[in-house]
Amino acid sequence: MPADKLFVYEINTWVWLNTLSRKYKKTITLSSVPNTVLDEICRPGIDVVWLMGVWKRSALGRTNALQYKHEYVGALPDITDDDIIGSAYSIGDYRVDERLGGRSGLASFRKRLRERGVRLLLDFVPNHVGKDHRWVHQPDFIIRGKPGDLERRSSDFFAAKMPNGESVVLAHGRDPLFPGWSDTAQLNIFNPELRREVIATLLDIASQCDGVRCDMAMLLMTDIFAGTWRGYVGAPPPVEYWREVIPAVRELHPKFLFIAEVYWNKEYDILQQGFDYAYDKVLYDRIVENDVQKLRQHLLAGIDYQQHMIRFVENHDEPRAYAKLGARRSCPAATLICTLPGATLLHEGQFSGRTVKLPVQISRQPDEKAVRELEAYYLRLLEETRDPIYQQGEWYLFDMRPAWNGNITNFNMLAYGWQHRTSGDYRLIVVNLTEHRSQGRVGLGHWRWLDGKNWRLFNVLDGAEYDRHGGEMTNEGLYIDLDPYESHIFRFEPAPEKRRAKVTT
């Protein structure tokens, strides 16, 4: 079943409310965000707002974060202890922090989003919790260490005391490629009782929002989890974690959205376990590498798969796109993520060209000057992608042929199109991701219905118009000449009939 082409807008909640409070010179919580601000984040084109980091953070996690204050100075030179709140992914409790507005403030915020036709997405962290979460004191909810682990694997285990006074060794949350996250405790997701608690927690979360972004979702797959904790966990349950959890939530909330943060080429597998969308980290990497042909190979995947990818060029885990890609490359990258099949993830500050990547442990950001040209470009893209063709149309990846013998700059460009057969609407997107001026011909033979007619090609990005004959485009190919980092989005319209001059005798 095709997935909707959602545009998800991520907001670092603490930082955002802090910035608003300083701007308006009063405390702003989720219940008191000004209407003008809500209208701005719910601008046409945005379908879902993801409030990242609303849950109560671990107090022990904050204590841990204070030890790394020196590492946060690069992002916030005048940082103070008050700016350090602990990681958003070291959960103390799945309750909305009262300092953000609490449960009632979130409910008010969600209601106002709904009035604007926008859904609400929140975090779920399935692999671990903060070291002071109540689940840490539940028997076998946390993976137990062995004698000597504190000495042999001090980065993966920590000492804890249970309510009955028993001293135990518990595991930090981790993925198999890195040391443990020192502010977390590793959940034992093979434990059936924990799974029941997780489902109950998710049902409560589902009563407060419209979907969750699941942190490091692939870590909960049986083969990965068993491999990471071999020797510390018993035989796995007969049902995969997500195949048990997701249907249980959807039984009461059928339209609840599940988005997976996923890596290691596990995207297809995680989608098979019930997720609506999975992170397209491969696309991100190819854009950053600037490898156009690898990008093309990635886009040869079946459309049923691509429609469930969520495309991005930044989020809270990645460097800011404007810093990583630069001013010129940011525009073609934006064109790609907004016009390809699948969902699009956008990040607060991405439109305005913010460059400072914030640690998730701090609550304040530095002031940065907005890049108005980039913001205008994104707004044009959002306006364009509201056209029904991107939701209901058929997508096709075209070949880029040489413009003439010996010219290989066609390899610098990607070309793909959308068609809506019922309305007769077409879009052709051509993107030059390189620093070289490039030429080529787009082989439009797949669109044979262009034959026999004259067409006007309107570039929605700059307003330029070109008249072309359908037969030329389907047989010889549409000639394209793009400047470095330039994009075209052509809307095809029948060309006006040319009037013949009246002959008098």
Side-chain angles (χ1 to χ4, degrees):
M1 181 177 179
D4 293 335
K5 185 170 177 58
L6 295 180
F7 280 73
V8 179
Y9 189 66
E10 178 189 2
I11 292 174
N12 185 330
T13 312
W14 271 92
V15 171
W16 181 60
L17 292 176
N18 184 309
T19 302
L20 291 176
S21 297
R22 287 187 286 132
K23 177 181 177 180
Y24 288 94
K25 295 181 173 55
K26 63 179 181 179
T27 300
I28 302 292
T29 69
L30 291 172
S31 61
S32 58
V33 175
N35 282 322
T36 53
V37 175
L38 268 182
D39 291 339
E40 181 180 350
I41 66 170
C42 296
R43 54 170 55 98
I46 300 300
D47 303 295
V48 180
V49 166
W50 167 19
L51 288 181
M52 191 277 286
V54 302
W55 305 122
K56 183 178 179 181
R57 303 183 187 208
S58 164
L60 290 179
R62 179 177 184 268
T63 300
N64 180 277
L66 285 167
Q67 300 176 54
Y68 299 94
K69 181 179 177 181
H70 60 283
E71 295 186 4
Y72 310 147
V73 172
L76 191 63
D78 62 341
I79 193 169
T80 69
D81 286 0
D82 289 341
D83 297 316
I84 299 173
I85 54 176
S87 172
Y89 296 92
S90 174
I91 303 291
D93 195 355
Y94 280 102
R95 290 188 291 117
V96 182
D97 196 295
E98 292 298 328
R99 291 167 291 180
L100 300 178
R103 189 176 184 120
S104 62
L106 181 70
S108 171
F109 187 84
R110 183 189 185 191
K111 179 175 181 292
R112 295 167 72 197
L113 288 184
R114 280 182 166 178
E115 291 168 353
R116 292 162 170 80
V118 174
R119 286 181 275 174
L120 175 64
L121 188 78
L122 299 177
D123 295 297
F124 179 60
V125 187
N127 185 65
H128 49 265
V129 291
K131 294 191 294 183
D132 46 6
H133 190 283
R134 62 183 176 84
W135 288 345
V136 173
H137 294 149
Q138 295 295 315
D140 300 321
F141 276 24
I142 305 299
I143 287 183
R144 293 282 185 105
K146 301 176 180 179
D149 278 335
L150 284 178
E151 291 75 31
R152 291 193 304 266
R153 300 178 60 184
S154 58
S155 63
D156 295 335
F157 292 89
F158 66 100
K161 185 161 285 190
M162 304 301 280
N164 63 3
E166 178 189 9
S167 294
V168 296
V169 176
L170 301 177
H172 287 304
R174 65 184 293 258
D175 76 36
L177 302 180
F178 298 97
W181 294 295
S182 59
D183 55 356
T184 68
Q186 175 66 55
L187 293 170
N188 180 6
I189 58 100
F190 284 179
N191 185 321
E193 292 184 19
L194 173 65
R195 290 191 178 193
R196 287 191 284 272
E197 283 283 327
V198 165
I199 290 169
T201 298
L202 272 170
L203 287 172
D204 184 53
I205 292 173
S207 71
Q208 301 175 71
C209 64
D210 305 290
V212 283
R213 176 266 194 188
C214 297
D215 183 69
M216 300 291 282
M218 75 286 179
L219 295 181
L220 290 302
M221 298 172 70
T222 295
D223 58 341
I224 293 176
F225 189 82
T228 303
W229 296 107
R230 184 174 288 110
Y232 292 88
V233 292
V239 181
E240 285 271 1
Y241 177 89
W242 292 116
R243 289 187 183 276
E244 182 175 346
V245 168
I246 292 176
V249 175
R250 289 218 172 111
E251 186 176 352
L252 293 179
H253 302 273
K255 296 182 179 180
F256 197 70
L257 187 66
F258 281 90
I259 295 176
E261 180 194 20
V262 58
Y263 307 110
W264 311 336
N265 296 316
K266 292 294 184 179
E267 296 87 350
Y268 177 81
D269 297 320
I270 209 76
L271 290 172
Q272 296 307 300
Q273 294 190 13
F275 279 88
D276 298 286
Y277 298 95
Y279 271 34
D280 193 351
K281 181 63 159 54
V282 174
L283 185 92
Y284 171 82
D285 290 339
R286 298 293 180 262
I287 291 173
V288 170
E289 293 166 2
N290 214 20
D291 193 321
V292 178
Q293 291 311 304
K294 283 186 178 179
L295 259 173
R296 177 177 170 77
Q297 289 299 314
H298 181 59
L299 295 176
L300 290 173
I303 188 64
D304 289 344
Y305 173 76
Q306 293 204 51
Q307 286 174 326
H308 293 274
M309 293 289 97
I310 186 162
R311 325 283 198 172
F312 58 88
V313 289
E314 74 168 68
N315 56 61
H316 69 267
D317 288 315
E318 307 294 348
R320 286 289 191 174
Y322 200 71
K324 187 73 174 179
L325 301 176
R328 300 182 72 189
R329 195 148 58 110
S330 290
C331 288
T335 302
L336 282 175
I337 64 168
C338 289
T339 61
L340 283 170
T344 302
L345 174 59
L346 302 165
H347 189 202
E348 195 272 329
Q350 182 174 334
F351 295 178
S352 61
R354 281 191 171 270
T355 60
V356 177
K357 179 183 181 297
L358 296 178
V360 294
Q361 294 88 352
I362 69 175
S363 64
R364 183 164 61 91
Q365 66 186 348
D367 294 329
E368 295 191 65
K369 186 177 180 180
V371 182
R372 297 303 178 194
E373 298 84 358
L374 181 65
E375 185 172 23
Y377 193 86
Y378 268 106
L379 293 181
R380 284 199 299 274
L381 285 173
L382 285 177
E383 181 181 5
E384 162 63 16
T385 52
R386 286 303 87 190
D387 191 285
I389 194 170
Y390 295 97
Q391 289 281 353
Q392 303 163 12
E394 299 173 30
W395 182 81
Y396 190 82
L397 181 65
F398 291 108
D399 289 327
M400 284 297 305
R401 305 169 185 167
W404 58 81
N405 289 337
N407 184 343
I408 62 171
T409 59
N410 58 298
F411 289 114
N412 297 333
M413 296 184 284
L414 286 172
Y416 51 91
W418 292 89
Q419 61 160 322
H420 196 293
R421 295 190 185 226
T422 304
S423 65
D425 198 8
Y426 312 96
R427 292 292 190 284
L428 174 66
I429 296 95
V430 190
V431 179
N432 179 7
L433 287 163
T434 74
E435 61 182 346
H436 306 288
R437 182 178 175 184
S438 302
Q439 300 83 25
R441 289 187 176 273
V442 184
L444 293 176
H446 184 71
W447 284 358
R448 299 308 311 188
W449 46 87
L450 297 176
D451 286 345
K453 297 179 182 178
N454 290 312
W455 296 90
R456 175 155 292 173
L457 278 59
F458 176 78
N459 186 359
V460 301
L461 293 176
D462 64 11
E465 296 181 357
Y466 308 88
D467 287 346
R468 297 290 185 268
H469 189 270
E472 175 191 349
M473 292 188 289
T474 57
N475 294 315
E476 300 173 24
L478 175 65
Y479 177 74
I480 298 289
D481 186 345
L482 289 183
D483 286 332
Y485 307 117
E486 188 178 14
S487 304
H488 286 341
I489 301 178
F490 289 124
R491 184 173 70 233
F492 283 59
E493 301 171 349
E497 292 288 337
K498 295 182 179 179
R499 295 184 179 181
R500 295 183 178 181
K502 186 176 181 179
V503 179
T504 59
T505 58

